[in-house]
Amino acid sequence: MTPSKDQILWMYRNMVTSRRFEEIIEEIYMEGKTPAFNMANGPIPGEMHLSNGQEPVAVGVCAHLNADDIVTATHRPHHQAIAKGVNLNKMAAEIFGKSSGFSGGRGGHMHIFDPDVNFACSGIVAQGCGPACGAALSRQMQNKPGVAVSFLGEGAVNQGAFHEAMNLAALWKLPVIFVVEDNAWGISVSKEASTAVPRNDVRAAAYGMPGHFIENNDPYAIFDVAGEAIKRAREGGGPSLIEIETYRLAGHFMGDAEGYRPEGEKEALIEKDPIPAMRARILSDGTASAAELDAIETESQSKVNEAIAFARQSELAADTDALTSVFAA
Amino acid sequence: MTPSKDQILWMYRNMVTSRRFEEIIEEIYMEGKTPAFNMANGPIPGEMHLSNGQEPVAVGVCAHLNADDIVTATHRPHHQAIAKGVNLNKMAAEIFGKSSGFSGGRGGHMHIFDPDVNFACSGIVAQGCGPACGAALSRQMQNKPGVAVSFLGEGAVNQGAFHEAMNLAALWKLPVIFVVEDNAWGISVSKEASTAVPRNDVRAAAYGMPGHFIENNDPYAIFDVAGEAIKRAREGGGPSLIEIETYRLAGHFMGDAEGYRPEGEKEALIEKDPIPAMRARILSDGTASAAELDAIETESQSKVNEAIAFARQSELAADTDALTSVFAA
Amino acid sequence: MSSNGTNERKLTIARAMAESIQQEMQINERVFVMGEDIGELGGVFGNTRGLLEEFGKSRIRDTPISETAFISAAVGAAQDGMRPVVELMFADFFGVCFDAIYNLMAKNIYFSGGGVSVPMVLMTSTGGGYSDGGQHSQCLYGSFAHLPGMKVVSPSNAFDAKGLMTAAMRDDSPVVYMFHKGLQGMGWLGTEAGATVNTPESDYTVEIGKAKVLREGTDVTLVGLAMGVHNALKAADQLAKEDVSAEVIDLVSLVPLDRETIINSVAKTGRLIVVDEDYQSYGVSGEIITTVCEHDISKLKAAPKRVAYPDVPIPFARNMEQFCLPNPDKIVAAYQAMV
Amino acid sequence: MSSNGTNERKLTIARAMAESIQQEMQINERVFVMGEDIGELGGVFGNTRGLLEEFGKSRIRDTPISETAFISAAVGAAQDGMRPVVELMFADFFGVCFDAIYNLMAKNIYFSGGGVSVPMVLMTSTGGGYSDGGQHSQCLYGSFAHLPGMKVVSPSNAFDAKGLMTAAMRDDSPVVYMFHKGLQGMGWLGTEAGATVNTPESDYTVEIGKAKVLREGTDVTLVGLAMGVHNALKAADQLAKEDVSAEVIDLVSLVPLDRETIINSVAKTGRLIVVDEDYQSYGVSGEIITTVCEHDISKLKAAPKRVAYPDVPIPFARNMEQFCLPNPDKIVAAYQAMV
Ligand SMILES: Cc1ncc(C[n+]2csc(CCOP(=O)(O)OP(=O)(O)O)c2C)c(N)n1
Ligand SMILES: Cc1ncc(C[n+]2csc(CCOP(=O)(O)OP(=O)(O)O)c2C)c(N)n1
Ligand SMILES: [Mg+2]
Ligand SMILES: [Mg+2]
């Protein structure tokens, strides 16, 4: 599938929004954490997994989804959340642990839930595979439209939960797509050191499911392949597995010294940063003008600024709110 | 690989021993359980999973193993145990829950451990996959000979533990063989209703591992394929996956009414009972005479009788032994 | 599936569970069932018998042996508006799928601040006594009840079994429904006759979080759940012959725990014995005793006691297993050692 | 890896653990380490730092994110004569691999009647306080201690950390070694200074199953482990200012549990407060209180109390999490409510 101009600009916009969002989160995260880096401190405590470099995966896939569709995301969820259209203000507030966040600060950055757009994520690798199947099953049983996308990392593919869900999805022909973000690392362990095969698309055959591998972190190629797979799923053709080569431009989490990365690797990836690359492509093939792109970037920045301001200004939840929402109201 | 006459007769002998053993266990199991079938009663209480019909798998594989090699077996372990050469007297005693059993009756039929021949089993499906990898790793690290075989059922292949172990074994090139006994059923659920692919050998490719499928429950073919795989593993060539079509001639466990089996299925399988088939083949191709086979059968029967007598005559453990052996002495 | 009488109809727990699910499925098309061997076989322990015939394969789904997949799928379906009932065949198998249970099912309501609800029932069998060995005989009540976010119930009789199942299916939070194999009324597992009781034909609920005083007494409070209740009732009969008046409490629910009923009873009797088939340490028995002691020790006439499963894996051999299991004699002896 | 002094050398728990493993690997070639990020990275929590450089990739093995596979592989290797040390990065992840832990590692000695031994150490991080959210902050002490067949220890300081690790590696039974992130001495997790203490350079063992009286007192017994010990010690300091003399017990080991030391202390003080960062119900706090109460209630001058984590998932927001965590003030308040 080839993206229309609107779709291309939609993808670009969401990549930029995600990047701008994370840039500012990165900055604020360090508040209160210098000179001594202590995760517990600052306006955004806890772990922080940035997704910069991985935006093409999120936008290439989510370009084909609407609010009714389901996404289960990972511990590195911002780009996926933004591309799925979650409420950015509430997400920012959640990351700050404020009462105006999705869960009022109970969840935090690894537990973003926006029921309005059927978005969820979690901190256990591969934990989203099963719920994606279940949501897809719900639609299948009710004869309601909707495709579920389970994002996971290439490291997570070696978790038993992935295997079980793949089999279940294929067996029941569920409308679910497993999207593997291959950023080459699971924390400090390389794909080579963790996975017996160089590419996980070959694992699709173990379930009689189509498998795809996309090189070079290319949003157009991702759009194409994901589009076909999602269309197929919508038409009752069942699940697919898509592995996408992408780039982790930062550490596993903030504070990661990354001593395990081969020299020069990161610099080389930064050279291939997908956002400037996409901008260049859009300009060079004439899809849009620099002015159009500048406008998008400005809009993204102000949307992000607004979200951050919203989060900053929001109140903390009451301490005692910790004790509520354990069970459904 | 083609079995020698000795190997053929070894296989036949062990198939017969396993069958005779289970025939008598079956009989004794029903003692105290009629007219009302209550698992808790009789000299052999608890669940009883018989393996009759599945003997070719055990002998075809274990013909290539010696006492140093490792087997992790399933909840249906008798044929595997016998082919691995466990002490039959102690196994019988264990099944009777007697003090002279391997664990003094703490384990029972699903937990047969014979450390002398490196045999273990367990009641959780696919639980043996990881320990087989670990034992193989132990040998690899110590540069000691030894191959580990993990038996599992075709139903167990859909358990996450299988996937994780397959990847680990392939990644670390461990001398381990995964042998899937495909008896077409996981309790009442057919392979078709549980598995997205008709044959699990295709799943080997997901780990870059050789995969084999053997039809017709044929001990010669199993001997051949398993022999090659085990040889390869011994030579440092890494793991293999072998799925074997075999026949469950009885219920999942004793007491199973088997209402879920299609009419005639079981009768057709009994027609293909591998023991008379092997006998006929041995005779027809002139490998051995009827007298030789009769002698083997007689020997097997008396070995079994002896084991059962040993078990019957043994004492129960003291009640208070329940409280010991929780930790290593 | 049901006979004609209304209040004079005895059902086994297995049939009571199946009837509850059947009736709820008839009135709520969002309810469906997943698990191993719950279709054609009707559940290894009989509690889904007849459902496949009535509701078909889409709503009564046999699954692969993939507990993590189908339990976490149930969570996803529940969040999407369905009301799944899933079966973990034996509680003993929780180790292969506990992440899906305690980290996902139990926490998504909290993580979403109530933004999603997780209306699902996880039913699972517990208990030993029939020599099924150490991976098929555990109760593990404490393992489930210790972790926040899931309600945990366990019926001792068919009346409660039906009402609790209906309540669980109507609850918007996840409910773990633990049924003891020895109470199911399946002959092949042995049967505790006291579990098969009159069970109304029409649907009704039994409140989750409310204990029941099954027998009133003045000298000692016996607290248990599931099989423990029957042991306690039998012990109470024995004690009565010695003119000791025992009050018997059926906890019914571990989460929420009805601490008040326990405290009130012990305030009256002054003595407490907890009967628990789960492992003794760090579990149910300690929690019940602590509930009473942290409230008010002045009411206690003697140190409280527990008759629980010792801290050892469950042995296969009948004599060893029976030696470890709670029974009425041990309860009576515990009482005698108190006075 | 080690400095020169012998008894005046302060180590963090992270370094003490690494040193213990290093020394044991030097003298026992059967010892090896497996886990996620334990090689090049030296463990997310620093406790395997330096080992890869000294021992190489065969004995210091980074694994795939396959906890079931590598933990059950450790069991297989242990049964085959090796002595693996495996890391489950966060205790919170136990749900994906608990079968391998509680049903396999913990039971094979029993199932084999002692025919095999399972000499392995499962080390895992616990605890919150730094806003890591509800799937990365749990203690789960009770979840491990409740199930038979595994020893369970948790050090509160580097001296014990080293000695317990050495003892664990020399034990022929499986030992679960739970280390609290807030005590590791990793600055990025915050650091409890009291955990970084003098640690002998040469190897030694600390007995598994023996509690330690860290501070003697006469008015109240404060019982805790890991971070709880530090909260108790601080509370004892505060209480001392009010002329209250608190005895502080560091459990060190949950299985075996040194019930005698607790009972003896409470017999002296007459008052008991248990400090526990694990969920309150059905866990450690109940077991400790019950241990005392079932022994002899006549020694108690007041109802025992617990300062434990409430029965809710762990919230991310700092204020909510801190509200839930045990702290010295809560302990002092508990004491004041007792007298
Ligand atoms: C079951 C489980 N094991 C381990 C972890 C710890 N952990 C968090 S992220 C991570 C690496 C994941 O790698 P990958 O799946 O490739 O995702 P990425 O971080 O590269 O996006 C690990 C090991 C976890 N969260 N869950
Ligand atoms: C993790 C787990 N889930 C479920 C079970 C219950 N169970 C025991 S045997 C069995 C069927 C196994 O089928 P298969 O692997 O094909 O082996 P077979 O019984 O046919 O030999 C099931 C579901 C179990 N023991 N462990
Ligand atoms: Mg990755
Ligand atoms: Mg089978």
Side-chain angles (χ1 to χ4, degrees):
Chain A
M1 275 184 195
T2 314
S4 67
K5 173 175 175 179
D6 274 3
Q7 288 168 323
I8 290 169
L9 295 185
W10 182 93
M11 291 198 287
Y12 186 68
R13 180 192 317 274
N14 280 281
M15 284 173 61
V16 171
T17 304
S18 181
R19 183 67 60 89
R20 294 292 166 272
F21 184 75
E22 290 202 336
E23 280 166 358
I24 192 159
I25 289 287
E26 192 171 357
E27 215 179 288
I28 298 169
Y29 183 78
M30 291 309 294
E31 287 176 20
K33 296 195 183 70
T34 47
F37 182 80
N38 175 343
M39 264 189 192
N41 293 337
I44 304 179
E47 286 186 63
M48 177 51 60
H49 308 88
L50 298 177
S51 64
N52 36 35
Q54 305 189 189
E55 300 91 347
V57 178
V59 301
V61 172
C62 294
H64 304 283
L65 303 180
N66 52 52
D68 274 352
D69 295 313
I70 299 104
V71 161
T72 60
T74 68
H75 57 287
R76 197 180 297 290
H78 302 154
H79 57 322
Q80 300 155 352
I82 287 169
K84 186 61 176 58
V86 308
N87 182 311
L88 199 64
N89 289 11
K90 289 191 185 178
M91 177 160 98
E94 185 66 31
I95 294 171
F96 278 73
K98 297 295 182 72
S99 62
S100 57
F102 285 119
S103 78
R106 292 177 187 81
H109 140 80
M110 280 189 273
H111 304 286
I112 303 286
F113 282 76
D114 188 346
D116 289 342
V117 298
N118 291 292
F119 182 88
C121 62
S122 81
I124 302 291
V125 307
Q127 203 189 49
C129 296
C133 291
L137 174 64
S138 163
R139 302 304 170 87
Q140 187 191 64
M141 286 180 70
Q142 298 181 74
N143 219 346
K144 275 196 193 168
V147 162
V149 174
S150 170
F151 286 102
L152 64 165
E154 91 298 332
V157 172
N158 296 314
Q159 183 71 208
F162 167 76
H163 170 68
E164 295 192 5
M166 287 287 283
N167 182 62
L168 200 73
L171 183 73
W172 291 350
K173 294 209 173 16
L174 299 175
V176 50
I177 317 289
F178 299 89
V179 177
V180 179
E181 302 198 26
D182 174 12
N183 64 7
W185 295 97
I187 310 187
S188 72
V189 181
S190 69
K191 189 182 193 186
E192 207 190 333
S194 72
T195 307
V197 287
R199 289 172 27 170
N200 282 305
D201 58 333
V202 304
R203 293 185 165 175
Y207 314 94
M209 193 191 289
H212 306 277
F213 186 86
I214 302 169
E215 290 180 335
N216 295 330
N217 206 17
D218 173 358
Y220 295 75
I222 298 166
F223 180 93
D224 175 22
V225 172
E228 297 293 347
I230 291 167
K231 180 164 175 285
R232 208 175 140 267
R234 286 199 204 286
E235 291 166 354
S240 298
L241 172 67
I242 306 174
E243 183 167 60
I244 299 168
E245 184 193 14
T246 188
Y247 312 142
R248 202 187 82 193
L249 298 183
H252 170 71
F253 50 31
M254 286 191 67
D256 179 358
E258 296 183 81
Y260 52 83
R261 278 182 109 153
E263 209 171 333
E265 179 191 276
K266 203 162 133 176
E267 293 68 24
L269 291 180
I270 289 172
E271 280 297 302
K272 299 198 280 182
D273 185 332
I275 292 182
M278 188 169 187
R279 187 181 161 101
R281 178 161 172 181
I282 291 173
L283 292 177
S284 81
D285 67 13
T287 305
S289 68
E292 283 175 282
L293 297 185
D294 291 347
I296 284 175
E297 283 166 34
T298 309
E299 269 169 50
S300 289
Q301 185 69 58
S302 62
K303 212 179 142 197
V304 163
N305 292 346
E306 187 196 303
I308 299 293
F310 174 80
R312 290 249 199 212
Q313 286 152 20
S314 293
E315 304 287 319
L316 287 173
D319 295 355
T320 50
D321 281 359
L323 307 180
T324 62
S325 286
V326 178
F327 294 113
Chain B
M1 275 183 195
T2 314
S4 67
K5 174 176 174 179
D6 274 2
Q7 288 168 322
I8 291 169
L9 294 187
W10 182 93
M11 291 198 287
Y12 186 68
R13 180 190 317 274
N14 279 281
M15 284 173 60
V16 171
T17 303
S18 180
R19 183 67 61 90
R20 293 291 166 273
F21 183 75
E22 291 203 334
E23 279 165 358
I24 192 158
I25 289 287
E26 192 172 356
E27 216 180 288
I28 298 169
Y29 183 77
M30 291 309 293
E31 288 176 21
K33 295 194 183 73
T34 46
F37 182 79
N38 176 343
M39 267 191 191
N41 294 336
I44 304 179
E47 285 187 65
M48 177 52 58
H49 309 87
L50 298 177
S51 63
N52 37 35
Q54 304 190 190
E55 300 90 348
V57 177
V59 300
V61 172
C62 294
H64 304 283
L65 303 181
N66 53 52
D68 274 351
D69 295 314
I70 299 104
V71 161
T72 61
T74 67
H75 58 287
R76 195 182 299 290
H78 302 154
H79 58 321
Q80 300 155 351
I82 287 169
K84 186 61 176 61
V86 308
N87 182 310
L88 199 63
N89 289 12
K90 290 192 186 177
M91 176 160 99
E94 184 66 30
I95 294 171
F96 278 74
K98 297 294 182 74
S99 62
S100 58
F102 285 119
S103 77
R106 292 178 188 79
H109 141 80
M110 279 189 275
H111 304 286
I112 303 287
F113 282 75
D114 187 346
D116 289 341
V117 299
N118 290 291
F119 182 88
C121 62
S122 81
I124 302 292
V125 307
Q127 202 190 48
C129 296
C133 291
L137 173 64
S138 164
R139 302 304 170 87
Q140 188 191 62
M141 286 181 70
Q142 297 181 74
N143 218 346
K144 274 196 192 167
V147 162
V149 174
S150 171
F151 287 101
L152 63 165
E154 92 297 333
V157 171
N158 296 314
Q159 183 72 208
F162 166 77
H163 169 68
E164 295 191 5
M166 287 287 285
N167 181 62
L168 200 73
L171 183 73
W172 291 350
K173 293 210 176 10
L174 299 175
V176 51
I177 317 290
F178 298 88
V179 177
V180 179
E181 301 198 27
D182 173 13
N183 63 9
W185 295 97
I187 309 185
S188 73
V189 181
S190 69
K191 190 182 192 187
E192 206 190 335
S194 71
T195 307
V197 288
R199 289 172 27 170
N200 283 303
D201 58 333
V202 303
R203 292 183 166 177
Y207 314 95
M209 193 190 290
H212 306 276
F213 186 86
I214 302 169
E215 290 180 335
N216 295 328
N217 206 16
D218 174 358
Y220 294 75
I222 299 166
F223 179 94
D224 176 22
V225 173
E228 297 294 348
I230 291 168
K231 180 164 176 285
R232 207 174 141 266
R234 285 200 204 287
E235 291 166 355
S240 298
L241 171 68
I242 306 174
E243 182 166 63
I244 299 167
E245 184 192 15
T246 188
Y247 311 142
R248 202 186 83 192
L249 298 183
H252 170 72
F253 51 30
M254 287 190 66
D256 179 358
E258 295 183 80
Y260 51 84
R261 278 182 108 153
E263 208 170 333
E265 179 191 275
K266 204 162 130 176
E267 294 66 28
L269 292 179
I270 290 173
E271 280 296 301
K272 298 198 279 180
D273 186 331
I275 293 184
M278 188 170 187
R279 186 181 161 102
R281 179 162 172 180
I282 291 173
L283 293 178
S284 80
D285 67 13
T287 305
S289 67
E292 284 175 280
L293 298 185
D294 290 348
I296 285 174
E297 284 167 33
T298 309
E299 270 169 50
S300 289
Q301 184 69 59
S302 61
K303 211 178 143 198
V304 164
N305 292 345
E306 188 196 303
I308 299 293
F310 173 81
R312 288 250 200 211
Q313 286 151 19
S314 294
E315 304 287 317
L316 287 174
D319 295 354
T320 51
D321 281 0
L323 307 179
T324 64
S325 286
V326 178
F327 294 114
Chain C
M1 165 161 287
S2 54
S3 69
N4 55 344
T6 47
N7 252 329
E8 290 167 32
R9 196 186 56 137
K10 289 199 181 207
L11 289 191
T12 63
I13 287 187
R15 288 196 57 209
M17 290 173 70
E19 183 171 282
S20 164
I21 298 170
Q22 177 201 26
Q23 290 174 345
E24 199 65 9
M25 288 185 72
Q26 287 167 348
I27 61 178
N28 188 340
E29 60 183 19
R30 302 277 176 112
V31 178
F32 71 105
V33 186
M34 282 196 282
E36 291 154 21
D37 306 284
I38 57 89
E40 181 98 32
L41 194 71
V44 173
F45 307 111
N47 40 299
T48 55
R49 200 154 288 173
L51 299 179
L52 177 70
E53 292 71 6
E54 180 167 349
F55 301 105
K57 285 196 176 183
S58 173
R59 292 179 72 193
I60 304 295
R61 296 191 164 248
D62 273 333
T63 62
I65 310 175
S66 306
E67 289 84 356
T68 295
F70 72 78
I71 294 173
S72 57
V75 177
Q79 290 177 194
D80 200 53
M82 300 294 284
R83 305 187 82 88
V85 177
V86 288
E87 177 162 296
L88 174 65
M89 193 187 287
F90 288 73
D92 310 64
F93 305 162
F94 84 122
V96 303
C97 54
F98 207 41
D99 184 66
I101 296 170
Y102 103 97
N103 245 346
L104 182 75
M105 177 185 88
K107 290 182 181 163
N108 272 1
I109 292 175
Y110 192 79
F111 287 152
S112 67
V116 302
S117 62
V118 185
M120 65 181 274
V121 183
L122 175 70
M123 57 185 176
T124 188
S125 78
T126 64
Y130 63 103
S131 288
D132 211 357
Q135 292 178 334
H136 290 78
S137 303
Q138 299 167 99
C139 283
L140 302 173
Y141 301 129
S143 297
F144 284 83
H146 178 50
L147 298 163
M150 46 192 163
K151 302 184 181 179
V152 180
V153 302
S154 190
S156 68
N157 62 64
F159 178 89
D160 288 351
K162 181 172 175 183
L164 280 173
M165 178 57 81
T166 304
M169 289 184 289
R170 293 179 186 173
D171 201 307
D172 285 337
S173 300
V175 179
V176 179
Y177 183 107
M178 306 182 87
F179 57 95
H180 193 289
K181 282 166 273 172
L183 304 179
Q184 278 299 89
M186 307 291 277
W188 59 276
L189 288 166
T191 297
E192 168 52 56
T196 300
V197 300
N198 286 342
T199 307
E201 199 158 335
S202 57
D203 64 305
Y204 60 94
T205 59
V206 165
E207 187 182 342
I208 294 174
K210 194 87 201 74
K212 294 188 174 182
V213 179
L214 294 191
R215 175 175 178 139
E216 301 209 3
T218 52
D219 296 326
V220 59
T221 301
L222 308 179
V223 175
L225 82 161
M227 187 61 93
V229 171
H230 297 279
N231 282 318
L233 288 168
K234 286 171 195 162
D237 281 342
Q238 288 185 35
L239 288 167
K241 290 185 195 134
E242 301 163 30
D243 278 334
V244 177
S245 161
E247 180 144 313
V248 176
I249 295 180
D250 182 346
L251 289 173
V252 181
S253 164
L254 290 175
V255 181
L257 177 63
D258 181 358
R259 299 186 199 262
E260 205 186 324
T261 296
I262 306 165
I263 287 169
N264 290 343
S265 174
V266 180
K268 183 173 66 170
T269 64
R271 295 188 187 85
L272 169 66
I273 299 172
V274 183
V275 186
D276 183 21
E277 195 181 321
D278 191 12
Y279 302 115
Q280 173 159 319
S281 294
Y282 305 98
V284 171
S285 59
E287 186 61 24
I288 303 301
I289 289 176
T290 296
T291 294
V292 167
C293 293
E294 70 184 349
H295 178 72
D296 185 356
I297 43 166
S298 71
K299 297 288 187 343
L300 283 167
K301 297 177 191 151
K305 288 197 176 288
R306 41 190 177 179
V307 175
Y309 202 91
D311 295 323
V312 304
I314 297 175
F316 159 72
R318 187 189 297 116
N319 64 319
M320 290 197 271
E321 186 184 14
Q322 295 301 330
F323 172 74
C324 292
L325 284 167
N327 62 37
D329 289 345
K330 291 184 185 180
I331 301 168
V332 170
Y335 177 77
Q336 281 156 350
M338 267 182 165
V339 287
Chain D
M1 166 160 286
S2 55
S3 69
N4 56 344
T6 46
N7 251 331
E8 291 167 30
R9 193 185 58 135
K10 288 201 183 207
L11 289 190
T12 62
I13 288 187
R15 288 197 56 209
M17 289 172 70
E19 184 171 281
S20 164
I21 298 171
Q22 177 200 28
Q23 291 174 346
E24 199 64 11
M25 286 184 73
Q26 286 167 348
I27 60 177
N28 188 341
E29 59 183 18
R30 302 277 177 111
V31 178
F32 71 105
V33 186
M34 283 195 281
E36 293 153 20
D37 305 285
I38 57 89
E40 182 98 33
L41 194 71
V44 173
F45 307 111
N47 39 300
T48 55
R49 200 154 288 172
L51 299 179
L52 177 69
E53 292 72 6
E54 179 168 348
F55 301 105
K57 285 199 175 181
S58 172
R59 292 179 72 194
I60 304 296
R61 296 190 164 249
D62 273 333
T63 61
I65 311 175
S66 307
E67 289 84 356
T68 295
F70 72 78
I71 294 172
S72 58
V75 177
Q79 290 177 194
D80 200 53
M82 300 295 284
R83 304 187 82 87
V85 177
V86 288
E87 177 162 295
L88 174 65
M89 192 187 288
F90 289 73
D92 311 65
F93 305 161
F94 85 121
V96 302
C97 55
F98 206 42
D99 185 65
I101 296 170
Y102 104 97
N103 245 347
L104 182 74
M105 178 186 88
K107 291 183 182 164
N108 272 359
I109 292 176
Y110 192 79
F111 286 152
S112 68
V116 303
S117 61
V118 185
M120 65 181 276
V121 183
L122 175 70
M123 55 184 179
T124 188
S125 77
T126 64
Y130 63 102
S131 289
D132 212 355
Q135 291 178 335
H136 290 78
S137 303
Q138 300 167 98
C139 284
L140 302 173
Y141 301 129
S143 298
F144 284 83
H146 179 50
L147 297 164
M150 46 192 166
K151 302 183 180 179
V152 181
V153 301
S154 190
S156 69
N157 62 65
F159 178 89
D160 288 351
K162 182 172 174 183
L164 279 175
M165 179 57 82
T166 304
M169 287 184 290
R170 293 180 187 172
D171 201 308
D172 286 337
S173 299
V175 179
V176 179
Y177 183 108
M178 306 183 86
F179 57 95
H180 193 289
K181 283 165 274 175
L183 303 178
Q184 278 298 90
M186 308 291 277
W188 59 276
L189 288 165
T191 296
E192 167 52 55
T196 300
V197 300
N198 287 341
T199 308
E201 200 158 334
S202 57
D203 64 305
Y204 61 94
T205 59
V206 165
E207 187 182 341
I208 294 173
K210 192 88 199 78
K212 294 188 175 184
V213 179
L214 294 190
R215 174 175 178 139
E216 301 210 2
T218 51
D219 296 327
V220 59
T221 300
L222 308 180
V223 175
L225 83 161
M227 187 60 94
V229 170
H230 297 279
N231 282 319
L233 287 168
K234 286 172 194 161
D237 282 343
Q238 289 186 35
L239 288 168
K241 290 186 196 136
E242 301 164 28
D243 278 334
V244 177
S245 161
E247 178 143 314
V248 176
I249 295 180
D250 182 346
L251 288 173
V252 181
S253 163
L254 291 176
V255 180
L257 177 63
D258 181 359
R259 299 186 199 262
E260 205 185 324
T261 296
I262 306 164
I263 288 170
N264 289 342
S265 174
V266 180
K268 184 174 65 170
T269 64
R271 294 189 189 85
L272 170 65
I273 299 172
V274 183
V275 186
D276 184 20
E277 194 180 322
D278 191 13
Y279 301 115
Q280 173 159 319
S281 294
Y282 305 97
V284 171
S285 59
E287 185 61 25
I288 304 300
I289 289 175
T290 296
T291 293
V292 167
C293 293
E294 70 185 349
H295 178 72
D296 184 358
I297 44 166
S298 70
K299 297 289 187 343
L300 284 167
K301 298 179 190 147
K305 287 197 177 287
R306 41 190 177 179
V307 175
Y309 202 92
D311 296 322
V312 305
I314 297 175
F316 158 73
R318 188 190 296 115
N319 65 320
M320 288 197 271
E321 186 185 13
Q322 295 301 330
F323 172 74
C324 292
L325 284 168
N327 62 36
D329 289 345
K330 290 184 185 181
I331 301 169
V332 170
Y335 177 77
Q336 281 157 349
M338 266 182 167
V339 286

